[in-house]
Amino acid sequence: MTEPQHQPDPQAEPPAQPETVSTTNPEPVTQKKSKVRWIIAGAAVLVLLLCFGGCGVLLATTNGEESPDQGKAPSTAASQSRPSASGPTTAAAPTTAPATTAPPAPVYDTPTKGDFKLQVKTLRKKCFGSAGCNITYRIDVTYTGDGLDPSRTYEVTYEVKGAEDPVINTFEVTGDSASVQQEETASTKRSGDKLTAVVTDVSEL
């Protein structure tokens, strides 16, 4: 008894063919996959390098090219900080001098005859018994007022009394100094007569 032969089902899938591995390529499959990964990683690194390189060039260009405002700002600051040739740029604050009170103007006298006191100082004396004497003298001047103007000169006229003949003479006064003759002479009638002097006139020269 024979078994019925099975007819192949036309819709059934053909039997799987066994996978054949080429013996001509000794490199295993896993090594191919690792190469593909390295290629992908290298491409990614290249893209990153290109990106960062472009950004670096952009930054270098931005830093190297200064705007007109940026170029002017440092020079302006330097010109402000650097003193000019003529002097410092900052004006010194005006200083106010302390208030000073002017001294009052001096008040001078207008001399009169009574402001002068004269004294006859005997320098030498030669007598002839009771007949009289020859006397050499000088006038000493004393001013009793408050003060005389040093820019003005006054002429003082005086008379020497007690002499045999009257003696009239003058001297000049400027400020606090008087110009008098160093020696004068007069004769008396008696040896006991004394010489005196009085001011008779004062006038401004």
Side-chain angles (χ1 to χ4, degrees), residues 69-83 89:
D69 295 339
Q70 291 177 350
K72 292 179 180 179
S75 61
T76 304
S79 62
Q80 291 179 355
S81 62
R82 185 183 301 110
T89 56

Side-chain angles (χ1 to χ4, degrees), residues 46-62:
L46 180 61
V47 172
L48 291 176
L49 289 176
L50 290 176
C51 291
F52 283 110
C55 293
V57 172
L58 181 59
L59 290 175
T61 305
T62 305

Side-chain angles (χ1 to χ4, degrees), residues 72-189:
K72 292 179 180 179
S75 61
T76 304
S79 62
Q80 291 179 355
S81 62
R82 185 183 301 110
S84 62
S86 60
T89 56
T90 58
T95 57
T96 303
T100 57
T101 303
V107 179
Y108 299 108
D109 292 341
T110 300
T112 62
K113 296 186 296 183
D115 294 332
F116 294 94
K117 300 298 181 181
L118 305 182
Q119 182 180 2
V120 179
K121 183 176 182 180
T122 301
L123 301 177
R124 293 182 299 274
K125 185 176 181 181
K126 184 177 182 181
C127 296
F128 305 96
S130 60
C133 300
N134 293 332
I135 302 174
T136 302
Y137 63 91
R138 184 182 67 238
I139 299 296
D140 288 343
V141 181
T142 301
Y143 180 72
T144 60
D146 293 334
L148 297 177
D149 191 346
S151 64
R152 295 182 178 183
T153 300
Y154 298 91
E155 184 181 48
V156 180
T157 303
Y158 63 95
E159 181 182 356
V160 177
K161 296 181 177 182
E164 185 177 5
D165 297 319
V167 178
I168 298 176
N169 206 347
T170 61
F171 62 86
E172 294 180 359
V173 175
T174 303
D176 57 353
S177 63
S179 299
V180 298
Q181 293 183 4
Q182 294 301 312
E183 291 185 359
E184 296 182 64
T185 59
S187 298
T188 61
K189 292 181 179 180

